[in-house]
Amino acid sequence: MLNATTRIRRLRRRLTVLFTLTSTAGLIGLTLYAAHLNNSLWRGQLDDELHRRTSRATALLVYDPGERLVFDGLIEDDVDSGCPALTVLAHQANGPVPVRRPRRPCAKVADKDLVAIARRATADVRQPVAATVTDQAGRQVRLYAEAFPNADFSATGGAVVVADDMSADIAGHRQVVLLLAIACAAFAGLSALAGHMLSGRAMRPALAALAQQEAFLADAAHDLHTPLATLRALTEGALHDDAWRGEALSRAARLAARTGDIVDDLLTRARLAAGVTPIRREPLRLDQLVESILDDTPTAGHRTRVTAQPVVVTADPALLRRAVANLVDNALTHGHQPGAPADVEITLTADGTIVIDDDGPGIDPGLAGELFDRYHSGGQSTGLGLSVAAWIAHAHGGSLTVGPSARCGARFVLRV
């Protein structure tokens, strides 16, 4: 069975492929439309040019008194020279027959093709006709024919046909199609890259939430395993030993309280990491907060002293209380020599800095940088309480540092 991270990454790949396919399909559609539009445009422009040439030629054709075609107007206007090549076909009994050919044929079109399109033009004089044929050199040629009347305008006298080589236009169109295909491929590649980046950005919150969930589960499993195992051992021992039951229950009660503190720290840290715990800032008397924490903290024979000045800070009372309580609890638990009571001194300065000194063994300088990471404490605990205190300090824009104390122990400095 695939784990959640693998499923999310597979979903990201699927989203990337789907986005790429959708974008590519759209790009291909636009490319085909652009190619079709380009083809229609240049063919339309070519037909317009040929139509202007046939219209000009038919207007210049006249008849002599013997009802024979006179081409002087074509010669004077020079309309039948150059390209496109112009051919005049007269209507006779057996069909259209070429009576004037181009002086310089640009395209060698077979007479049968000229006769065929002229026959179509004279059969329907309402509009010119066009066709594409292949000349004797194998090139595609565009034919355009327009009928002209006979001498007394009673019937059609024939048709004017122009022929233009489309090789250059077709080559240009193919070049445009090639450029469009290259652009489509490039944009498809960019679309795939953009889809991968966008899907990664979309999956990032899910991966972050999954990482936070796994971190919370790891913290819970690590921190609660030993207390729960000890609590189970105490309760099982109390069930089988009446003489030890009182001591076991007393230790179980303390351990249950400690386990509750661990759970609170776990939840606080998880909420801070997930950003679901809003920082409720309000003015509070920091000196009164510290004194109330000491009043609520069981000292169990340890000594605590407070030197405080009245000071007001803007902070979240619940979170700041948790941070200070964790630091005091850490000093009472670890800040003393083996077998001796702890002597903890707490100093509160006017700028809102809390300094906690103990007379314990101190902190190894090599561990000071890792002390506020979870699972690092320098003692027998997990260090989760110090990690939470550091998170709370940073959430308030402050800091939590540790160093040697003048009393040879450790000094924790909390600034908010």
Side-chain angles (χ1 to χ4, degrees):
M1 183 178 180
L2 300 178
N3 57 34
T5 302
T6 303
R7 291 199 300 271
I8 289 177
R9 289 174 178 171
R10 176 173 292 184
L11 177 60
R12 179 186 182 185
R13 290 194 294 269
R14 290 178 178 175
L15 289 175
T16 300
V17 171
L18 179 60
F19 182 83
T20 303
L21 291 177
T22 304
S23 301
T24 302
L27 289 171
I28 291 175
L30 289 175
T31 301
L32 294 176
Y33 176 75
H36 173 73
L37 183 62
N38 176 263
N39 183 66
S40 300
L41 286 175
W42 74 261
R43 287 182 181 274
Q45 291 173 355
L46 177 60
D47 285 348
D48 289 342
E49 175 62 27
L50 297 180
H51 176 65
R52 285 192 294 270
R53 198 170 185 87
T54 58
S55 298
R56 180 63 178 168
T58 55
L60 294 173
L61 289 175
V62 295
Y63 291 89
D64 63 9
E67 296 186 356
R68 291 177 300 181
L69 282 170
V70 178
F71 305 106
D72 294 344
L74 297 180
I75 298 173
E76 293 175 359
D77 196 81
D78 203 28
V79 72
D80 63 342
S81 64
C83 297
L86 186 146
T87 303
V88 180
L89 294 93
H91 186 69
Q92 298 182 4
N94 57 348
V97 176
V99 295
R100 183 174 181 82
R101 297 182 181 274
R103 283 182 270 175
R104 185 171 63 87
C106 304
K108 298 180 180 180
V109 182
D111 284 349
K112 63 181 182 64
D113 293 326
L114 295 174
V115 170
I117 193 170
R119 193 184 303 275
R120 289 172 52 196
T122 55
D124 185 4
V125 298
R126 291 174 299 177
Q127 58 183 0
V129 294
T132 301
V133 299
T134 302
D135 69 357
Q136 297 175 5
R139 300 172 298 182
Q140 290 191 9
V141 177
R142 187 68 169 174
L143 299 180
Y144 200 90
E146 185 173 351
F148 59 87
N150 59 7
D152 58 2
F153 293 90
S154 61
T156 57
V160 174
V161 180
V162 292
D164 193 22
D165 181 10
M166 299 193 301
S167 301
D169 295 317
I170 293 175
H173 174 66
R174 288 175 178 173
Q175 184 176 8
V176 170
V177 172
L178 178 61
L179 292 176
L180 287 174
I182 294 174
C184 178
F187 278 115
L190 292 175
S191 174
L193 179 61
H196 186 70
M197 295 176 61
L198 290 175
S199 61
R201 184 177 293 274
M203 294 294 106
R204 194 175 300 168
L207 289 173
L210 182 61
Q212 291 170 359
Q213 177 184 351
E214 292 177 349
F216 176 77
L217 294 176
D219 289 344
H222 184 276
D223 293 336
L224 297 178
H225 179 268
T226 300
L228 292 177
T230 305
L231 185 61
R232 179 178 179 180
L234 288 173
T235 55
E236 290 179 350
L239 290 174
H240 297 88
D241 190 344
D242 294 339
W244 192 60
R245 182 171 300 169
E247 177 63 21
L249 291 176
S250 177
R251 292 178 59 184
R254 293 194 299 270
L255 187 59
R258 178 58 182 163
T259 303
D261 292 338
I262 293 176
V263 171
D264 289 341
D265 284 339
L266 284 171
L267 294 176
T268 300
R269 186 189 181 282
R271 289 168 180 165
L272 286 173
V276 299
T277 298
I279 304 298
R280 184 170 55 89
R281 300 179 182 272
E282 61 182 50
L284 60 91
R285 284 283 298 273
L286 188 57
D287 55 312
Q288 294 179 357
L289 178 68
V290 173
E291 291 174 355
S292 66
I293 291 172
L294 292 179
D295 292 338
D296 296 338
T297 301
T299 57
H302 301 301
R303 295 187 298 274
T304 58
R305 289 175 294 167
V306 180
T307 302
Q309 302 180 28
V311 57
V312 177
V313 297
T314 302
D316 188 306
L319 292 179
L320 191 56
R321 184 181 186 88
R322 168 63 59 184
V324 176
N326 286 353
L327 293 176
V328 173
D329 181 72
N330 179 78
L332 293 175
T333 303
H334 306 287
H336 60 89
Q337 299 296 334
D343 187 3
V344 178
E345 183 177 356
I346 303 172
T347 304
L348 178 60
T349 62
D351 61 352
T353 300
I354 302 174
V355 181
I356 302 177
D357 291 292
D358 60 54
D359 59 352
I363 301 297
D364 185 353
L367 297 177
E370 303 176 343
L371 195 63
F372 303 119
D373 297 334
R374 68 178 194 266
Y375 308 145
H376 292 87
S377 67
Q380 300 300 318
S381 70
T382 63
L384 185 61
L386 294 180
S387 172
V388 170
W391 275 69
I392 293 173
H394 294 155
H396 285 80
S399 63
L400 177 60
T401 58
V402 63
S405 171
R407 304 173 61 199
C408 300
R411 166 174 287 185
F412 288 85
V413 180
L414 174 65
R415 295 183 176 87
V416 294

